[in-house]
């Protein structure tokens, strides 16, 4: 095949207070014209830093490209080593020969400029077109990436678009100058499965139409299986395995690859727990501080067979749950938000986020709540907890209607009803140590007799969620995303609740970290007889976690029932669409 990019012995290091971090450590691979290579690995594996090194966007200091070559092959010309170019010279390649879609579209788009003008800037910089031709090209690009009403999107600001639409604007910007190579850094993370599927199909169609090569970075092997020709697996800055997609999936050689494939929730059977990375390999360091990965003598299939739950076990658990008195009963609940108002401020029309919803939750049950963004899942969870005001309806918890309680009465009940928010970083105060963040609710509610007892309880909780006493005095920014989510789980458990709402609590985590957090939630449910409402847009995660499932669409319940029954034979086309969109 015709070679486009050759990366040779690339090393990018970062100097920190703790020492040198070898983010990319002697990495070599190539990309051919028109092919899609998938780079997969957990957070911290070096995937994104590899992409930023190719684009020469590594911030110096603290980062520095130590050595290596990045050879770009223009048609009919000698290869150019991008690392030897001046800043002015590399600008001609950025956006023109190599386009990049960044991980978070909201932070990549300038909030004070209209979307059209931001893409227009890239076109005017690299293409010899008139003002009118440039504008028409942007509108045509918006149509090509299947944005509805391209002229309206051209005039819109980023905050006026959904997550999927913002991602399409970023794809249009990256494709605006017909690049030879498109680098897509986690372009579908935290998107709905249906939006994710449409983005993958769109990128595949654009690749076929323009002949652009794609370097697709993700932590999800399921997504990689839908789009890549070849796969590169990275771990702690090094490539541990690479090869054709079929070979990697059907016959993985490295224990890390085996663990990534095994820890995704399965779709065709149930497990009592998910395999995790430490089931397949042990991690240690040699005398020079270099990582040593030792494969454990663990057969993935044998491990999965050991964790499998029979249909009989599932049925017995379900029958036992539903023959109890419900812990929570939601009756004709409505939460509406004013959409338009008249001159005097009276609402004329409403967004019906939660529209006449009724269901029950039984003690010890996990009720899954799924649907696309905007379907009302999160608003429903927040309304149950009285964090959002209901329009009408009743929420019965242990025989009390939560919506009629005074603030004082509700405050007393908050010990029993907790929430784990979607974004652990924004739900933790950056100026408070995590020990104090977990201890604070106990102090407020007068749990235990002294600060000393509360600190001991916090240390106990940290150990319960897989952290340690030494983490007590650390701040949120010193933890990874998965560790922060564990802190939020510990905080939710601090008040000994009986009912927890998990709102997209694993949606942005690596599949391996996600598996650990899901296993933890199940262990805690069994240990403390917890009851969950588990909100997610990922049906495979909900299928693993929940006993029953509610599918929501536009504020209403599409269907409700046993999780396995809904997954195996959905009665509504909307549910079928969600299931079809799951990467297989």
């Amino acid at each position: 095949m015709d070679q486009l990019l050759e990366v040779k012995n690339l090393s990018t290091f970062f100097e920190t207070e703790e020492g040198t971090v070898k983010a990319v450590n002697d990495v070599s691979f190539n990309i051919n014209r028109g092919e899609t290579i998938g780079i997969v690995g957990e957070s911290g594996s070096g995937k994104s830093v590899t992409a930023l090194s190719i684009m020469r966007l590594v911030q110096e200091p603290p980062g520095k490209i130590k050595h290596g070559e990045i050879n770009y092959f223009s048609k009919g010309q000698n290869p150019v080593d991008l690392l030897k170019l001046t800043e002015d010279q590399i600008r001609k390649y950025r956006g023109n020969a190599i386009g990049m879609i960044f991980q978070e579209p909201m932070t990549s788009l300038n909030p004070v400029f209209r979307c059209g003008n931001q893409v227009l800037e890239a076109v005017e910089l690299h293409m010899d077109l008139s003002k009118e031709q440039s504008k028409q090209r942007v509108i045509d690009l918006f149509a090509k990436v299947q944005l509805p009403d391209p002229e309206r999107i051209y005039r819109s600001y980023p905050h006026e678009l959904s997550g999927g639409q913002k991602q399409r604007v970023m794809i249009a910007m990256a494709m605006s100058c017909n690049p030879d190579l498109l680098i897509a850094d986690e372009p579908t993370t935290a998107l709905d499965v249906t939006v994710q599927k449409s983005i993958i199909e769109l990128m595949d169609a654009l690749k076929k139409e323009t002949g652009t090569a794609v370097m697709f970075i993700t932590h999800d092997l399921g997504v990689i299986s839908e789009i890549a020709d070849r796969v590169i697996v990275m771990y702690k800055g090094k490539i541990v395995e690479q090869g054709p997609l079929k070979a990697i999936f059907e016959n993985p050689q490295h224990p890390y690859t085996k663990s990534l494939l095994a820890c995704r929730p399965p779709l065709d059977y149930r497990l009592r727990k998910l395999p995790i990375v430490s089931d397949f390999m042990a991690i240690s360091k040699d005398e020079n501080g270099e990582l040593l990965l030792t494969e454990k003598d663990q057969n993935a299939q044998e491990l999965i067979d050991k964790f499998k739950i029979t249909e009989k076990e599932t049925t017995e658990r379900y029958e036992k749950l539903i023959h109890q008195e419900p812990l929570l009963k939601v009756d004709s609940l409505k939460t509406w938000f004013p959409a338009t108002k008249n001159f005097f401020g009276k609402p004329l029309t409403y967004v019906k986020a939660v529209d006449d919803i009724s269901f029950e939750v039984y003690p010890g049950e996990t009720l899954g709540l799924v649907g696309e963004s905007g379907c009302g899942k999160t608003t429903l969870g927040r309304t149950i907890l009285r964090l959002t005001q209901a329009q009408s309806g009743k929420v019965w918890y242990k025989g009390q209607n939560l919506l009629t309680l005074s603030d004082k009465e509700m405050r007393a009940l908050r010990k029993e009803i907790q929430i784990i928010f979607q974004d652990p970083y924004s739900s933790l105060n950056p100026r408070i140590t995590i020990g104090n963040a977990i201890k604070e609710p106990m102090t407020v509610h007068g749990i235990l007799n002294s600060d000393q007892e509360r600190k001991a309880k916090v240390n106990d909780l940290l150990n319960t969620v897989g952290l340690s006493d030494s983490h007590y005095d650390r701040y949120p920014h010193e933890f990874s995303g998965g560790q922060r989510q564990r802190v939020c789980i510990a905080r939710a458990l601090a008040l000994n609740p009986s009912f927890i709402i998990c709102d997209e609590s694993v949606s942005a985590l690596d599949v391996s970290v996600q598996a650990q957090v899901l296993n933890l939630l199940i262990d805690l449910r069994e240990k403390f007889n917890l009851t969950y409402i588990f909100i997610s847009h990922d049906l495979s995660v909900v299928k693993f976690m929940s006993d029953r499932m509610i599918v929501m669409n536009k504020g209403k319940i599409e269907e409700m029932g046993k999780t396995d029954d809904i997954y195996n034979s959905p009665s509504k086309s909307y549910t079928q669409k969600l299931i079809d969109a799951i990467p297989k």
Side-chain angles (χ1 to χ4, degrees):
M1 285 180 82
D2 192 3
Q3 190 166 238
L4 175 66
L5 194 81
E6 179 191 38
V7 176
K8 281 176 74 176
N9 309 116
L10 178 67
S11 291
T12 304
F13 297 171
F14 289 81
E15 296 302 329
T16 70
E17 290 175 5
E18 283 82 33
T20 302
V21 175
K22 298 177 180 180
V24 177
N25 193 1
D26 202 27
V27 161
S28 299
F29 62 92
N30 61 66
I31 304 172
N32 298 315
R33 289 187 182 275
E35 80 165 338
T36 299
I37 68 156
I39 299 190
V40 71
E42 298 170 283
S43 297
S45 64
K47 311 182 301 289
S48 295
V49 178
T50 301
L52 292 171
S53 301
I54 291 170
M55 294 291 281
R56 290 266 306 272
L57 290 173
V58 174
Q59 191 177 351
E60 297 185 35
K64 187 169 180 60
I65 299 172
K66 283 286 186 184
H67 57 78
E69 294 175 29
I70 301 172
N71 296 314
Y72 171 74
F73 294 79
S74 289
K75 279 188 174 173
Q77 294 178 19
N78 291 327
V80 175
D81 185 353
L82 300 181
L83 297 183
K84 290 182 178 168
L85 300 181
T86 65
E87 191 56 40
D88 281 342
Q89 288 171 328
I90 192 69
R91 255 189 225 119
K92 293 173 186 169
Y93 289 87
R94 265 192 223 131
N96 190 15
I98 306 171
M100 184 159 178
I101 306 164
F102 292 95
Q103 185 168 353
E104 179 43 70
M106 193 64 216
T107 55
S108 306
L109 291 168
N110 192 322
V112 300
F113 291 109
R114 297 178 196 273
C115 293
N117 290 341
Q118 298 191 52
V119 182
L120 184 71
E121 185 182 19
V123 174
E124 288 180 334
L125 188 66
H126 293 293
M127 300 188 86
D128 188 19
L129 298 173
S130 68
K131 189 90 175 169
E132 202 52 47
Q133 286 172 321
S134 297
K135 181 179 177 181
Q136 191 54 50
R137 173 155 180 79
V138 174
I139 291 169
D140 290 346
L141 278 164
F142 283 174
K144 192 179 273 188
V145 298
Q146 296 161 25
L147 279 164
D149 194 355
E151 299 211 3
R152 178 184 65 80
I153 300 286
Y154 187 95
R155 299 188 300 272
S156 298
Y157 290 95
H159 73 270
E160 297 177 288
L161 308 184
S162 70
Q165 287 174 334
K166 283 195 281 274
Q167 199 60 284
R168 287 166 190 270
V169 170
M170 290 300 299
I171 292 172
M173 190 186 291
M175 296 296 292
S176 60
C177 302
N178 298 324
D180 291 329
L181 173 64
L182 178 64
I183 299 174
D185 186 6
E186 300 270 13
T188 60
T189 299
L191 293 179
D192 298 329
V193 281
T194 48
V195 179
Q196 175 179 278
K197 187 180 183 186
S198 66
I199 295 287
I200 288 169
E201 287 173 349
L202 168 65
M203 289 180 67
D204 207 36
L206 289 172
K207 182 190 89 168
K208 284 170 183 164
E209 184 185 328
T210 61
T212 298
V214 178
M215 179 174 151
F216 196 99
I217 296 168
T218 182
H219 62 254
D220 191 340
L221 274 159
V223 173
I224 285 286
S225 70
E226 303 272 309
I227 195 167
D229 302 308
R230 284 190 298 126
V231 181
I232 293 171
V233 182
M234 288 188 73
Y235 183 77
K236 302 286 185 189
K238 286 185 174 289
I239 291 175
V240 294
E241 187 166 1
Q242 61 177 308
L245 178 78
K246 200 168 189 279
I248 295 287
F249 271 75
E250 291 181 3
N251 190 24
Q253 298 301 305
H254 197 275
Y256 181 63
T257 314
K258 292 173 186 174
S259 67
L260 284 183
L261 286 164
C263 64
R264 183 100 180 110
L267 298 170
D268 45 356
Y269 49 85
R270 271 190 176 269
L271 298 177
R272 57 177 49 87
K273 66 180 284 194
L274 292 168
I276 57 174
V277 173
S278 59
D279 289 326
F280 295 90
M281 66 180 195
I283 302 156
S284 57
K285 288 186 178 179
D286 64 15
E287 62 273 11
N288 300 317
E290 292 289 327
L291 279 177
L292 287 174
L293 306 179
T294 312
E295 183 169 6
K296 290 184 178 178
D297 187 21
Q298 182 69 270
N299 181 287
Q301 194 54 53
E302 284 176 11
L303 191 64
I304 286 165
D305 290 341
K306 192 171 85 176
F307 292 158
K308 269 186 184 174
I309 301 175
T310 64
E311 204 171 313
K312 186 185 174 202
E313 286 176 282
T314 306
T315 305
E316 283 175 358
R317 174 176 161 79
Y318 177 74
E319 291 298 325
K320 189 178 170 186
L321 287 170
I322 62 166
H323 283 96
Q324 304 175 93
E325 195 64 34
L327 180 73
L328 183 86
K329 198 170 178 181
V330 175
D331 187 11
S332 305
L333 191 63
K334 293 181 182 177
T335 308
W336 296 0
F337 299 106
T340 56
K341 298 178 180 180
N342 66 11
F343 178 76
F344 300 103
K346 184 183 177 184
L348 298 174
T349 58
Y350 290 90
V351 174
K352 298 178 179 180
V354 176
D355 196 17
D356 198 23
I357 289 223
S358 301
F359 63 90
E360 296 169 341
V361 189
Y362 298 96
E365 179 185 25
T366 300
L367 178 73
L369 193 55
V370 298
E372 297 171 287
S373 294
C375 73
K377 312 184 295 291
T378 295
T379 304
L380 174 58
R382 291 179 66 87
T383 305
I384 290 168
L385 293 177
R386 288 259 307 262
L387 298 173
T388 298
Q389 192 173 346
Q391 186 90 358
S392 62
K394 297 182 178 75
V395 178
W396 299 98
Y397 175 77
K398 292 184 177 177
Q400 289 180 284
N401 182 4
L402 300 183
L403 303 188
T404 60
L405 296 182
S406 68
D407 287 347
K408 188 178 178 183
E409 290 169 321
M410 190 64 205
R411 201 174 297 122
L413 258 185
R414 289 207 186 278
K415 282 189 290 189
E416 295 186 37
I417 311 170
Q418 288 290 303
I419 185 167
I420 302 166
F421 291 101
Q422 181 170 356
D423 182 358
Y425 195 68
S426 62
S427 60
L428 290 168
N429 188 327
R431 290 177 292 190
I432 294 179
T433 64
I434 62 116
N436 286 327
I438 298 167
K439 191 177 74 172
E440 187 181 37
M442 291 194 277
T443 308
V444 169
H445 287 279
I447 289 174
L448 300 177
N449 300 317
S450 68
D451 258 12
Q452 201 173 355
E453 285 182 26
R454 290 182 197 115
K455 184 170 182 179
K457 166 87 171 172
V458 171
N459 286 331
D460 186 41
L461 285 167
L462 287 171
N463 287 304
T464 300
V465 299
L467 297 172
S468 71
D469 301 12
S470 63
H471 292 127
Y472 188 98
D473 292 314
R474 292 194 194 174
Y475 289 88
H477 73 271
E478 297 179 79
F479 293 88
S480 69
Q483 287 174 320
R484 282 197 288 265
Q485 198 58 282
R486 289 164 185 267
V487 171
C488 290
I489 292 168
R491 185 176 59 180
L493 291 171
L495 301 174
N496 304 320
S498 53
F499 175 62
I500 300 177
I501 293 178
C502 306
D503 184 10
E504 297 275 14
S505 51
V506 296
S507 64
L509 299 179
D510 297 328
V511 282
S512 54
V513 179
Q514 177 179 279
Q516 292 173 35
V517 172
L518 293 175
N519 288 344
L520 171 64
L521 288 170
I522 283 180
D523 288 346
L524 295 171
R525 183 184 72 188
E526 304 309 314
K527 186 177 178 182
F528 299 111
N529 194 33
L530 295 172
T531 305
Y532 297 134
I533 289 181
F534 193 89
I535 300 171
S536 180
H537 61 254
D538 188 336
L539 259 86
S540 57
V541 169
V542 169
K543 184 178 184 297
F544 169 71
M545 281 294 295
S546 60
D547 302 290
R548 287 185 305 136
M549 185 163 87
I550 292 175
V551 181
M552 275 186 79
N553 183 22
K554 295 176 181 172
K556 289 186 175 292
I557 291 177
E558 281 277 327
E559 60 182 304
M560 174 168 54
K562 260 179 94 172
T563 301
D564 291 357
D565 292 348
I566 288 178
Y567 183 80
N568 294 328
S569 51
S571 62
K572 297 291 179 74
S573 58
Y574 177 76
T575 311
Q576 185 64 58
K577 183 179 83 166
L578 288 180
I579 291 167
D580 289 344
I582 303 170
K584 306 296 189 291

